[in-house]
Amino acid sequence: FMSCGGNATFDIVFDNGTETRQLPETILHGVQWTIHPEVVTADEIRAMREFAATEKLRKEAEAKKKSEEFAADVAALKVDPRYSKLQQTGQGAQFNKLVAINLRREFKAAFPGIKFSVKCDGYDSVKVAWTDGPTKAAVEEITNKYSGGHFDGMEDIYRPSRSPWTEVFGSAKYISIVRKHSPDAMTAAVSKACTKYGWPPLEVKTDSFDGSAYLVSRDHYQQKVVYGLLEAR
């Protein structure tokens, strides 16, 4: 249904200090709004408007404080000697290429001896893969800093976000991580699981493309146990 007609506009003040300005009469008579029969006094309206004005000033002051704190954090990160080896925004690389550069440098320092594959996918995504070595949780402590937001499955939209870190060292819309497993690590985990639960030997195969190992089993519980052991290593 559609509501039409009426040329007036209304300023509406709410009990929580928020306001709606210049609401068209046609929308006021639509399904989103309800007009109640109660009538408030002029003094009540005046008090509500004064409270709304106070709330507006409070929110503006709060926003200004957050903005100043954000700027201060950005300035501090730019000169922090702990991150001197990372490339900053405005120094050449853009978008996810900057994230890929900095991730490679952080991984090299945090996990020496582990070979990481860090690749850009389009201009807003980065894919990270490695074999054995650090757990996903350990790697995510680094990659999460570069996240440019998250996907909201409830509303089916992507919600962007920014932080002092992404402002200085870059961000990517999507960062995916894949921890692969060597045949030795997979075989050890399978052997441990079979011994503990009395299972018959489980089959382990090797991917012909990259040499990583995977478990051959349709039993979801067996998969959960084996990959859980691998993730705990």
Side-chain angles (χ1 to χ4, degrees):
F1 292 91
M2 181 177 68
S3 175
C4 59
N7 297 318
T9 58
F10 294 82
D11 292 338
I12 301 172
V13 61
F14 298 91
D15 290 332
N16 65 358
T18 57
E19 293 181 286
T20 294
R21 295 281 185 175
Q22 299 295 301
L23 183 75
E25 183 178 3
T26 180
I27 294 179
L28 183 64
H29 287 287
V31 297
Q32 298 96 337
W33 296 82
T34 299
I35 301 176
H36 297 280
E38 296 86 1
V39 178
V40 297
T41 66
D43 288 340
E44 289 176 305
I45 293 176
R46 187 179 303 107
M48 291 174 68
R49 296 191 67 181
E50 289 175 354
F51 176 62
T54 302
E55 277 292 282
K56 181 180 179 181
L57 292 175
R58 183 188 66 78
K59 291 177 181 178
E60 288 175 349
E62 189 177 83
K64 181 180 179 181
K65 181 181 178 181
K66 287 184 178 180
S67 178
E68 291 173 347
E69 290 175 347
F70 189 95
D73 290 341
V74 167
L77 282 173
K78 287 183 176 181
V79 296
D80 194 320
R82 293 176 296 175
Y83 312 120
S84 59
K85 293 184 179 180
L86 299 182
Q87 187 168 329
Q88 299 184 11
T89 54
Q91 295 180 344
Q94 295 181 340
F95 304 116
N96 57 345
K97 290 183 179 180
L98 176 59
V99 174
I101 290 172
N102 286 334
L103 283 178
R104 292 188 189 103
R105 294 177 182 180
E106 287 216 63
F107 291 152
K108 184 177 181 180
F111 312 113
I114 303 298
K115 184 178 180 181
F116 283 85
S117 170
V118 184
K119 298 181 179 180
C120 297
D121 185 15
Y123 69 91
D124 58 1
S125 301
V126 174
K127 294 183 177 180
V128 177
W130 73 101
T131 301
D132 297 339
T135 63
K136 284 185 177 181
V139 172
E140 285 177 339
E141 288 183 9
I142 294 176
T143 60
N144 286 347
K145 297 183 298 183
Y146 296 91
S147 174
H150 70 280
F151 182 78
D152 186 339
M154 294 294 292
E155 298 190 23
D156 197 29
I157 59 173
Y158 184 87
R159 295 191 180 279
S161 62
R162 56 194 288 261
S163 68
W165 184 273
T166 59
E167 197 77 5
V168 178
F169 301 113
S171 68
K173 192 174 181 180
Y174 301 103
I175 302 178
S176 62
I177 66 172
V178 177
R179 185 183 188 231
K180 300 179 182 180
H181 309 288
S182 66
D184 288 345
M186 178 64 73
T187 301
V190 167
S191 178
K192 185 175 181 179
C194 290
T195 299
K196 181 177 181 179
Y197 294 97
W199 297 336
L202 300 177
E203 185 179 5
V204 174
K205 285 190 175 182
T206 303
D207 191 302
S208 59
F209 179 73
D210 60 11
S212 63
Y214 60 93
L215 174 65
V216 181
S217 174
R218 293 185 177 180
D219 189 310
H220 294 296
Y221 183 70
Q222 290 179 343
Q223 293 181 21
K224 180 180 178 180
V225 169
V226 171
Y227 284 101
L229 289 171
L230 287 163
E231 181 54 29
R233 290 178 52 141

